[in-house]
Amino acid sequence: MTRVVLVVDDEIGIAELIDAVLTDEGYRVLTAVNGRQGLAIMAKDHPDLVFLDYMMPVMDGADVLRAMARDLSTDGVPVVLMSSMPEDLVAERCPGYAVFMRKPFRIAQ
Amino acid sequence: MSFPEDRPPEAANTAEAALEELRRQNAELIEAVAARDTFIAVAAHELRNPMTPIVGQIDLLLAALQAGRYSSGQVEHRVRRIRRAMDHFIKRAGTLLDVSRITSGRFQLALAPCDLSDLVRETVETFTETARYSGCSFRIEVPESLPGAWDRLALEQILDNLISNAIKYAPSRPVTVSAEDFGSLVRLRVRDYGPGISAGDRARIFERFERAVGANERRSGFGVGLWVVGQLVAAMEGTIVVNDAQGGGSVFTVTLPRYSETNRS
Ligand SMILES: Nc1ncnc2c1ncn2[C@@H]1O[C@H](COP(=O)(O)OP(=O)(O)OP(=O)(O)O)[C@@H](O)[C@H]1O
Ligand SMILES: [Mg+2]
């Protein structure tokens, strides 16, 4: 079965880049422009993995992680948290992500 | 401080005044250097960020082409995305160039005949993909034609910043861009259905590097967009105000002379 990955980032360029990499790897990729839209897609499409930007308007990465933890259907879904800020500045506000990715990144990562 | 006996008191005063003047100049220079350093840091960041998707997409395209994996349709799709990311990059660089020109007093308007209605339609067009991604739809309200003489690049920069803010701060909502004819004046408006801007923040957001979102930063951007807009509008002898829109959101209203003094002479 095709694995589904959700990318939540307000910057279209970043979302499209991750989309391109993962589509080439054979994943089905969905994108959302902010946390609110991201959660709506999670409820409907049940992604296997989420790439989540920290800085976003409407609902940021920390808000999304908290909402995910409260919901049984999203609680166990691994999250790759992305930010241009160093991890220690972001981590204290963000419960339960799996991996941290510092922006800007290169696709070899 | 003590001075030799034979020195007249005026000389001491003059020396003291000169010293004071040097101290003041020194303080000003320190401030100017600090401002320049901030600007360089901002510029570097602003120019590096949009490069990530460009370099990434090109690397990906190269790898796929080497492996002979892409159809020509896929190649075209990817190249179009790269093209769009480049346009975005050029816009950001243009903003920074304006900041530098305005700060150093080297900014000059280049007035030429142009149609404001066409300019609105064309600028909105460049946002099609970005708006689709953030779920915004545009409404354009312009007369068939609205000719005048303006600095086209400055107008584009103004509209561009106001529209990108609307998409960024009021996603998933409609955005209305309008232009109206008031004879010797024209009025440009960008209206969104976002959170609006509190009365306390309304003046502050036009300052350089000021952002309404505060220390608990949630958005990318450096707070120079509206400063540049304000400076360009002032250079064109116009005005800009922001208000709460009826039914929620903000409305930015730019009023500009249609033919400026320089043009008439
Ligand atoms: N349409 C809008 N709705 C709500 N808030 C806005 C809107 N436009 C601007 N703001 C607020 O005003 C601040 C300053 O805007 P400005 O465009 O100058 O900078 P920016 O968008 O933060 O960064 P950039 O330099 O990338 O444009 C923003 O940070 C935001 O808080
Ligand atoms: Mg802006």
Side-chain angles (χ1 to χ4, degrees):
Chain A
M1 210 183 88
T2 320
R3 296 263 177 185
V4 179
V5 179
L6 170 65
V7 183
V8 190
D9 198 317
D10 59 329
E11 275 177 71
I12 181 172
I14 300 291
E16 285 185 342
L17 177 60
I18 299 174
D19 176 358
V21 173
L22 296 176
T23 303
D24 283 1
E25 298 293 324
Y27 295 92
R28 188 161 88 89
V29 183
L30 307 168
T31 56
V33 70
N34 58 48
R36 195 173 54 200
Q37 200 186 348
L39 286 173
I41 293 178
M42 284 180 220
K44 197 161 71 69
D45 295 282
H46 306 290
D48 302 288
L49 175 69
V50 176
F51 280 81
L52 181 63
D53 183 31
Y54 174 67
M55 264 204 307
M56 282 183 300
V58 185
M59 260 188 112
D60 71 5
D63 297 334
V64 173
L65 281 164
R66 269 193 298 276
M68 287 177 73
R70 278 196 304 268
D71 186 333
L72 276 183
S73 71
T74 51
D75 190 19
V77 180
V79 171
V80 179
L81 187 66
M82 307 180 287
S83 178
S84 55
M85 290 192 269
E87 181 170 11
D88 51 328
L89 286 185
V90 174
E92 54 180 286
R93 285 195 69 232
C94 294
Y97 61 88
V99 180
F100 182 82
M101 203 157 88
R102 179 89 186 260
K103 288 180 174 183
F105 43 77
R106 305 207 126 238
I107 45 170
Q109 274 181 274
Chain B
M1 210 179 272
S2 69
F3 292 93
E5 239 86 297
D6 56 334
R7 241 201 179 164
E10 315 87 72
N13 281 342
T14 322
E16 189 62 36
L19 195 61
E20 196 43 52
E21 175 62 15
L22 278 177
R23 282 206 194 94
R24 198 187 52 77
Q25 281 177 3
N26 196 33
E28 267 178 26
L29 281 177
I30 290 174
E31 211 170 285
V33 169
R36 196 202 53 192
D37 287 351
T38 311
F39 178 69
I40 291 173
V42 168
H45 208 106
E46 279 291 81
L47 295 183
R48 191 182 63 169
N49 275 351
M51 268 299 161
T52 301
I54 295 172
V55 173
Q57 294 277 8
I58 290 175
D59 286 351
L60 208 59
L61 190 57
L62 276 178
L65 287 174
Q66 273 159 3
R69 255 190 291 140
Y70 278 3
S71 69
S72 67
Q74 279 171 308
V75 172
E76 185 184 333
H77 178 66
R78 293 287 157 90
V79 171
R80 278 192 197 286
R81 282 184 173 184
I82 294 171
R83 181 58 224 254
R84 193 152 28 76
M86 297 289 310
D87 286 341
H88 177 67
F89 178 83
I90 291 168
K91 280 184 189 174
R92 295 309 287 170
T95 303
L96 288 171
L97 203 57
D98 281 348
V99 172
S100 138
R101 283 202 193 113
I102 295 166
T103 312
S104 60
R106 276 184 292 113
F107 182 75
Q108 271 195 325
L109 290 177
L111 297 177
C114 109
D115 191 311
L116 192 56
S117 295
D118 285 345
L119 189 117
V120 168
R121 285 188 281 255
E122 284 160 23
T123 310
V124 167
E125 173 82 31
T126 64
F127 281 96
T128 312
E129 279 302 311
T130 329
R132 182 182 308 150
Y133 181 66
S134 50
C136 289
S137 56
F138 284 114
R139 230 171 75 199
I140 301 178
E141 294 171 357
V142 293
E144 185 47 37
S145 158
L146 189 42
W150 296 284
D151 182 317
R152 197 190 159 86
L153 286 178
L155 273 184
E156 269 174 20
Q157 185 72 270
I158 290 167
L159 263 180
D160 208 89
N161 275 295
L162 294 179
I163 295 173
S164 70
N165 278 349
I167 293 176
K168 182 156 137 195
Y169 300 108
S172 315
R173 308 261 162 76
V175 174
T176 306
V177 186
S178 57
E180 279 171 281
D181 183 345
F182 286 96
S184 61
L185 297 173
V186 290
R187 194 163 73 187
L188 264 177
R189 276 195 160 146
V190 177
R191 187 238 201 272
D192 65 52
Y193 290 82
I197 295 162
S198 73
D201 284 331
R202 264 176 224 155
R204 204 161 60 81
I205 54 171
F206 290 99
E207 303 279 313
R208 199 148 54 126
F209 307 134
E210 273 299 339
R211 317 195 63 218
V213 279
N216 191 3
E217 210 51 80
R218 282 160 168 238
R219 293 154 190 155
S220 53
F222 284 89
V224 293
L226 286 177
W227 180 80
V228 168
V229 169
Q231 298 288 316
L232 293 176
V233 168
M236 296 169 104
E237 292 165 353
T239 57
I240 179 164
V241 286
V242 56
N243 292 108
D244 285 337
Q246 255 177 0
S250 350
V251 51
F252 286 82
T253 305
V254 176
T255 309
L256 296 171
R258 190 152 176 185
Y259 297 102
S260 99
E261 295 300 325
T262 3
N263 193 57
R264 254 183 259 128
S265 59

